Amino acid sequence: MKKRIVLYKALSHDLLARLQAAAEVTTVDLARPDGMARLRDALPGAHGLLGASLRLDASLLDLAPELEVISSVSVGVDNYDITDLDRRGIVLTNTPDVLTETTADTGFALILATARRVVELANWVRDGHWQSSLGPAQFGSDVHGKTLGIVGMGRIGEALARRAAAGFGMQVIYHSQRPKPDVEARYGARRVALDALLAQADFVCLTVPLSAATEGLIGRKELALMKPAAILINISRGRVVDEQALIDALETRRIRGAGLDVFVQEPLAVDSPLLRLANVVATPHIGSATEDTRQAMARCAVDNMLAALAGRRPANAVNG
Ligand code: NAP
């Protein structure tokens, strides 16, 4: 008998066909008002779940006693309680590597957009303010030759370091749990304590996973250590930063600006104080959101799912 998969993310026809050849597939559209109710109805009897951006907590997992595998279409696994999954004997898989370069591009887009005030000044032109040549009030700050501080030197951190060192002639400093001798050799990166990184970097870029250890990693005290001309870039997860402390630091110009792809609450409320600040560039969690990369992530998630259901260990098993 075919195993049963619940899909809560749309897939391209070819990927859906691959899943359907191996399993009975129920598709649930969580954007619909009845999406969660339909998911709950589909969970009993499900052997596999494939999707993203949903907190799969105990109350949902309790409805799925047959569940063997969750294939997350993401590299971040902060939506899952891995200890609980271990206890239930459920394998969790993710999609690392295929999104690394695209997410690093997003990081650099935010670095450039904030430093050179791209969004603010593009709107300024649109609003008819470009009446004469620019003055210091419109000047930005350079990116090339500056110091990039990377918090979390993993796959995405390294891809940022490469862009910074090879493309922009930047000095790279980083804070990570373990030293990264390869990254140091390739890009001249230096490992420093978090406080030193915050004090020295012109751009602080967050690429740590969200965990108990990184939640609130950047709070009031840490923001106070940053240079007044420094810019914070967050492409990891919103809860790594104390958002109210960041709003205060930006409103008082304690730091120059922030480029933010992730927020404590997503979608970001349209009345968020962050959206009133000219020194903030806010993007809607676009880290990996290109057609090619999202397709590669979906393919990876399908491969992981099919391997697990066939009794093989998936290439990207996070636990088990
Ligand atoms: P990764 O290769 O696992 O890198 C994460 C790095 O963070 C590791 O090098 C790890 O250090 C370091 N780290 C973990 N906990 C730390 C701590 N407490 N203090 C300092 N460093 C710590 O992961 P990745 O593929 O680069 O992805 C990183 C994160 O980016 C994901 O978990 C996800 O949340 C986020 N992300 C966001 C988007 C987006 O759309 N904005 C897209 C993709 C990913 P060690 O190696 O020393 O253990």
Side-chain angles (χ1 to χ4, degrees):
M1 209 182 68
K2 275 184 171 177
K3 299 246 168 143
R4 283 189 289 272
I5 297 175
V6 178
L7 198 63
Y8 56 97
K9 189 167 192 66
L11 293 182
S12 59
H13 291 306
D14 57 325
L15 293 179
L16 183 59
R18 280 184 61 206
L19 282 183
Q20 284 169 333
E24 211 177 281
V25 180
T26 304
T27 303
V28 171
D29 180 357
L30 290 182
R32 286 175 45 154
D34 63 348
M36 279 310 289
R38 287 169 57 93
L39 177 70
R40 283 195 188 87
D41 288 346
L43 285 176
H47 300 101
L49 285 179
L50 189 149
S53 312
L54 174 68
R55 182 143 195 89
L56 278 170
D57 59 17
S59 69
L60 289 173
L61 295 178
D62 285 347
L63 298 173
E66 312 289 323
L67 197 59
E68 296 170 16
V69 52
I70 299 171
S71 176
S72 187
V73 194
S74 66
V75 67
V77 289
D78 44 283
N79 269 331
Y80 313 93
D81 177 343
I82 291 170
T83 313
D84 188 36
L85 294 182
D86 283 342
R87 194 177 57 74
R88 294 171 190 262
I90 298 170
V91 175
L92 173 67
T93 66
N94 69 346
T95 62
D97 302 316
V98 291
L99 48 59
T100 296
E101 299 299 329
T102 298
T103 309
D105 285 348
T106 301
F108 250 89
L110 288 172
I111 289 172
L112 289 163
T114 47
R116 300 300 304 274
R117 302 168 58 184
V118 172
V119 177
E120 178 194 353
L121 292 176
N123 287 335
W124 185 79
V125 174
R126 203 182 290 273
D127 293 343
H129 296 297
W130 192 18
Q131 303 291 346
S132 58
S133 61
L134 295 186
Q138 286 81 43
F139 292 169
S141 51
D142 276 328
V143 173
H144 68 270
K146 295 289 181 72
T147 297
L148 175 62
I150 298 174
V151 181
M153 185 55 86
R155 291 170 289 244
I156 297 168
E158 177 169 357
L160 278 168
R162 177 165 14 91
R163 284 160 177 71
F168 289 83
M170 299 175 88
Q171 288 82 51
V172 177
I173 54 180
Y174 73 97
H175 169 69
S176 222
Q177 295 180 123
R178 290 167 293 182
K180 308 287 170 171
D182 288 356
V183 179
E184 295 180 15
R186 284 190 205 119
Y187 311 116
R190 257 186 324 115
R191 182 167 178 244
V192 296
L194 181 60
D195 285 5
L197 181 147
L198 293 166
Q200 292 170 29
D202 299 300
F203 299 90
V204 173
C205 189
L206 307 178
T207 55
V208 279
L210 175 62
S211 67
T214 62
E215 179 154 16
L217 186 69
I218 304 298
R220 222 164 276 281
K221 174 179 146 285
E222 289 71 28
L223 291 163
L225 293 172
M226 289 174 65
K227 298 184 197 177
I231 290 174
L232 180 75
I233 305 293
N234 190 3
I235 54 169
S236 65
R237 287 290 183 265
R239 277 156 54 203
V240 172
V241 176
D242 175 343
E243 209 165 81
Q244 188 54 53
L246 176 62
I247 291 166
D248 294 346
L250 290 163
E251 281 178 341
T252 57
R253 293 261 167 185
R254 176 62 208 77
I255 61 173
R256 184 189 290 264
L260 307 171
D261 189 43
V262 288
F263 305 89
V264 170
Q265 280 296 331
E266 296 181 9
L268 182 63
V270 73
D271 62 354
S272 165
L274 288 169
L275 297 179
R276 292 200 301 269
L277 294 166
N279 53 346
V280 169
V281 174
T283 49
H285 205 140
I286 62 170
S288 63
T290 64
E291 285 175 18
D292 289 344
T293 294
R294 285 294 171 87
Q295 179 65 4
M297 290 166 68
R299 193 178 309 115
C300 179
V302 167
D303 289 345
N304 288 331
M305 171 64 75
L306 293 177
L309 290 185
R312 298 192 304 275
R313 184 164 171 79
N316 306 117
V318 173
N319 63 342

